[in-house]
Amino acid sequence: MTHSLKAGVAAVLAVLALAACGDKAPSGDVLVKVDGKAITAETLDWLLKEQVPAGTPIDDALRAKAREHLIQREVLLEAARKAGLDKDPAVKQRMDYIRDEQLVNAYIKDWLAKNPVSDDKVKAEYDKRTGESAQMEYHARHILVEKEDDAKAIIAKLDKGAKFADLAKASKDPGSAATGGDLGWADPATFVPEFAAALKSLEKGKYTAAPVKSQFGYHVILLEDTRKPSPPPLESIKAQLQQAMQQEALGNYIKELVGKAKLEEGKAAAAEPKPAASQ
């Protein structure tokens, strides 16, 4: 039996066991009978469809393995009944839960199929999100020193025409000293607050007129340029965005159903913790 079929044995046993407990005779062409219990070709086809990965060729060998699995399953089901496990309260409760869970999952799948998120809604959400996140990016350089007087001396040299990149070679920041203090393009939020505030107050091509103190020392900052970040193309995130919107819509629908439901607290409710109120 393939790995996928083996991995699904427990789930298939649980789900099909529920149907096997009923009184209805199986429909479809009989494939084989096990102690008088019919296994149909329809059941075998369903098993292959459910458990075999899409694109896997279904040949005679695979069908034979699936057939053998169904025979083993039927034998085990009969053995479980003879052992009285189908009457065990814990087993019955588990079987009832699995049955209902399958129905719930089927309903959710059906609801999602009937309530798709249109391309127009995805585009509108994309525009909204990219508009909200369109913070400016800054291309900056800086020179970091330990003492305020050293920073003031650097500013004085800049005022006299010294090149920022040349002075940055003495910076205490090993990551940018070798590149003329260049920090590249970045969101100000990635910097410490004092640095970010000073950077956003600068005009393009200007440097700070006074040293900027942070936990790392004293900075002299030059703003090279600003730009709006380019959002990822819609097509590259469309599927992910659509799925997120579907899940949000489903969550709202479930909340709506719960809100309409009549809830009556039982005696056991007093001992159970109450869910936290949603923010």
Side-chain angles (χ1 to χ4, degrees), residues 191-214:
F191 300 123
V192 292
E194 303 88 349
F195 191 105
L199 181 60
K200 289 191 285 187
S201 70
L202 288 172
E203 296 179 12
K204 294 180 185 179
K206 302 294 185 178
Y207 52 84
T208 47
V212 178
K213 187 179 186 304
S214 78

Side-chain angles (χ1 to χ4, degrees), residues 155-225:
I155 293 173
K157 291 179 181 179
L158 290 171
D159 290 341
K160 293 179 180 180
K163 292 184 178 181
F164 196 97
D166 292 338
L167 297 178
K169 294 177 182 178
S171 176
K172 300 300 181 182
D173 178 10
S176 65
T179 58
D182 195 351
L183 297 173
W185 288 100
D187 184 331
T190 62
F191 300 123
V192 292
E194 303 88 349
F195 191 105
L199 181 60
K200 289 191 285 187
S201 70
L202 288 172
E203 296 179 12
K204 294 180 185 179
K206 302 294 185 178
Y207 52 84
T208 47
V212 178
K213 187 179 186 304
S214 78
Q215 65 195 70
F216 302 106
Y218 291 87
H219 306 263
V220 180
I221 307 168
L222 168 66
L223 175 59
E224 292 276 17
D225 201 359

Side-chain angles (χ1 to χ4, degrees), residues 36-219:
K37 300 287 185 178
I39 297 175
T40 67
E42 182 183 19
T43 300
L44 184 140
D45 290 339
W46 175 87
L47 177 63
L48 290 171
K49 181 180 178 181
E50 284 287 311
Q51 299 299 320
V52 177
T56 302
I58 299 177
D59 53 19
D60 290 342
L62 185 57
R63 293 185 68 84
K65 290 177 180 179
R67 177 180 181 276
E68 181 63 23
H69 164 70
L70 289 173
I71 292 173
Q72 293 175 3
R73 166 194 166 276
E74 192 58 55
V75 171
L76 287 170
L77 282 172
E78 187 59 28
R81 293 190 191 97
K82 288 181 179 179
L85 292 177
D86 57 330
K87 303 298 191 296
D88 182 280
V91 174
K92 290 179 66 176
Q93 186 175 35
R94 188 179 302 115
M95 291 171 67
D96 288 343
Y97 185 88
I98 293 172
R99 179 199 61 219
D100 291 345
E101 193 76 359
Q102 290 294 317
L103 185 58
V104 167
N105 290 338
Y107 179 72
I108 289 175
K109 183 177 180 180
D110 181 69
W111 188 89
L112 290 173
K114 292 178 179 177
N115 295 272
V117 177
S118 68
D119 289 346
D120 289 342
K121 289 184 178 180
V122 173
K123 179 63 167 58
E125 183 67 15
Y126 170 82
D127 291 341
K128 176 185 175 184
R129 293 192 182 191
T130 54
E132 291 175 348
S133 63
Q135 301 296 325
M136 296 298 292
E137 288 184 335
Y138 291 71
H139 181 194
R141 294 177 184 266
H142 84 135
I143 302 170
L144 175 65
V145 293
E146 294 180 1
K147 299 179 181 179
E148 184 177 10
D149 288 342
D150 292 339
K152 289 180 177 180
I154 290 172
I155 293 173
K157 291 179 181 179
L158 290 171
D159 290 341
K160 293 179 180 180
K163 292 184 178 181
F164 196 97
D166 292 338
L167 297 178
K169 294 177 182 178
S171 176
K172 300 300 181 182
D173 178 10
S176 65
T179 58
D182 195 351
L183 297 173
W185 288 100
D187 184 331
T190 62
F191 300 123
V192 292
E194 303 88 349
F195 191 105
L199 181 60
K200 289 191 285 187
S201 70
L202 288 172
E203 296 179 12
K204 294 180 185 179
K206 302 294 185 178
Y207 52 84
T208 47
V212 178
K213 187 179 186 304
S214 78
Q215 65 195 70
F216 302 106
Y218 291 87
H219 306 263

Side-chain angles (χ1 to χ4, degrees), residues 1-9 51-53 62 65:
M1 186 175 294
T2 64
H3 174 72
S4 60
L5 282 173
K6 289 180 179 178
V9 166
Q51 299 299 320
V52 177
L62 185 57
K65 290 177 180 179

